[in-house]
Amino acid sequence: MGKKGGGRVRIKQVGPKGPINPLADLNEQEPIFLPPKPDSNITYFYPRNQAFTMNYKNNANFPCFWPTYIDSNKTVKEGRRIGKENGGCVDCPTVEDISEVLQELGVRHVIQPFKGYPRDVESRWDNPGRVMYDMTQMEVMMRRRAIEATPRIVELNDDDDDIPILDDDADHDPDAPVTQKQCWKYIAGKIEGMPGRKLRLENKKKAEEEEKKRLRDEARMRAVTAKKSNAGGSSKKKGKKRLRDEARMRAVTA
């Protein structure tokens, strides 16, 4: 607004003087407190009684096993190291699943549930953690299982047909080195049958169904509320129109 005087227009400032801070309203809002970041060095041991004697730090005998290695939802660029063919990968494996398999095999290991895989950025908040297992125990177990699973050649003795001869030197090499990739494939093949994983997936499915039901109920309630409000507005309009018609009829009659 302005005032005229002497052919000039003087601008009058309305409101507070000085520069306006566009972020002033934000300062009046309540601050947002983020949850504290978990300590990535938290470690759980199996078995627990070896928490002070297990030498896993900077030890080549305790390699890292990230769930991303066997995750079928990850790409090779993100860190997957097992092929998807022949069921070599698992859908969203967790450190709990890996630990459950290692516990069944009797392999000692440590779990660091809040570590993030450097190549997979999402693993820092979605499915974090890693497992470090004893490679020596894993090698012994893998060789023993390989020997048990290898079929043995059966020959018949000429002297007595009822007594078979078992050839223990059939197509396996107990001295062959066991690689980490073989260990990962073996663990991935056993994860699906673990009872802990089955229970976790069932609970996850139930939670998703409950969430969908809650969203449907909320949508239904919003629809009912909107319908009631629309009905109330239309009845009010009809009432006003009726009053106008009555007033017009009275004017005509008069």
Side-chain angles (χ1 to χ4, degrees), residues 230-247:
N230 293 335
S234 61
S235 62
K236 185 181 293 185
K237 291 180 180 179
K238 291 180 181 178
K240 290 182 177 180
K241 184 178 180 182
R242 182 173 55 80
L243 293 175
R244 285 198 301 269
D245 294 340
E246 291 178 356

Side-chain angles (χ1 to χ4, degrees), residues 153-224:
I153 299 175
V154 179
E155 298 179 355
L156 294 179
N157 193 342
D158 295 336
D159 299 335
D160 191 351
D161 294 342
D162 296 334
I163 302 177
I165 299 176
L166 301 181
D167 185 6
D168 291 333
D169 296 328
D171 304 326
H172 66 267
D173 184 7
D175 296 329
V178 178
T179 64
Q180 294 187 35
K181 198 169 186 179
Q182 291 175 340
C183 297
W184 301 339
K185 286 184 177 180
Y186 185 81
I187 293 173
K190 294 182 68 66
I191 283 180
E192 292 291 349
M194 291 292 102
R197 177 178 173 85
K198 293 180 180 179
L199 180 61
R200 180 175 64 82
L201 293 179
E202 290 177 0
N203 294 335
K204 182 179 178 181
K205 185 177 180 180
K206 290 181 181 177
E208 290 177 352
E209 292 177 354
E210 292 177 356
E211 181 66 16
K212 290 180 180 178
K213 183 180 179 182
R214 184 183 65 83
L215 294 176
R216 286 196 302 268
D217 294 341
E218 290 182 356
R220 190 180 298 110
M221 290 299 297
R222 286 195 298 268
V224 171

Side-chain angles (χ1 to χ4, degrees), residues 41-252:
N41 294 321
I42 294 177
T43 305
Y44 300 98
F45 297 83
Y46 177 84
R48 295 182 179 179
N49 56 6
Q50 297 187 16
F52 298 100
T53 59
M54 192 182 302
N55 182 21
Y56 69 94
K57 293 183 178 180
N58 300 324
N59 190 346
N61 194 44
F62 277 81
C64 294
F65 186 5
W66 301 90
T68 307
Y69 289 174
I70 57 175
D71 193 342
S72 60
N73 299 316
K74 302 296 182 179
T75 62
V76 176
K77 186 177 181 180
E78 290 173 335
R80 178 172 54 81
R81 298 192 178 183
I82 301 297
K84 296 182 180 180
E85 61 277 0
N86 300 326
C89 290
V90 187
D91 182 20
C92 294
T94 62
V95 291
E96 290 81 5
D97 299 335
I98 298 172
S99 175
E100 189 175 7
V101 175
L102 293 175
Q103 290 181 38
E104 185 187 60
L105 300 177
V107 177
R108 61 178 189 163
H109 59 280
V110 297
I111 305 173
Q112 294 178 329
F114 301 114
K115 289 283 187 180
Y117 187 38
R119 290 181 60 181
D120 185 10
V121 180
E122 293 182 356
S123 68
R124 298 178 183 179
W125 63 84
D126 182 24
N127 194 16
R130 71 178 179 182
V131 178
M132 304 172 70
Y133 59 94
D134 190 342
M135 188 63 185
T136 302
Q137 289 187 355
M138 195 70 185
E139 252 182 81
V140 173
M141 187 279 308
M142 291 279 289
R143 288 175 179 171
R144 184 171 64 248
R145 295 295 177 97
I147 293 174
E148 293 174 355
T150 302
R152 295 184 293 177
I153 299 175
V154 179
E155 298 179 355
L156 294 179
N157 193 342
D158 295 336
D159 299 335
D160 191 351
D161 294 342
D162 296 334
I163 302 177
I165 299 176
L166 301 181
D167 185 6
D168 291 333
D169 296 328
D171 304 326
H172 66 267
D173 184 7
D175 296 329
V178 178
T179 64
Q180 294 187 35
K181 198 169 186 179
Q182 291 175 340
C183 297
W184 301 339
K185 286 184 177 180
Y186 185 81
I187 293 173
K190 294 182 68 66
I191 283 180
E192 292 291 349
M194 291 292 102
R197 177 178 173 85
K198 293 180 180 179
L199 180 61
R200 180 175 64 82
L201 293 179
E202 290 177 0
N203 294 335
K204 182 179 178 181
K205 185 177 180 180
K206 290 181 181 177
E208 290 177 352
E209 292 177 354
E210 292 177 356
E211 181 66 16
K212 290 180 180 178
K213 183 180 179 182
R214 184 183 65 83
L215 294 176
R216 286 196 302 268
D217 294 341
E218 290 182 356
R220 190 180 298 110
M221 290 299 297
R222 286 195 298 268
V224 171
T225 304
K227 186 176 181 180
K228 288 182 178 179
S229 61
N230 293 335
S234 61
S235 62
K236 185 181 293 185
K237 291 180 180 179
K238 291 180 181 178
K240 290 182 177 180
K241 184 178 180 182
R242 182 173 55 80
L243 293 175
R244 285 198 301 269
D245 294 340
E246 291 178 356
R248 190 180 298 109
M249 289 299 296
R250 285 197 297 270
V252 172

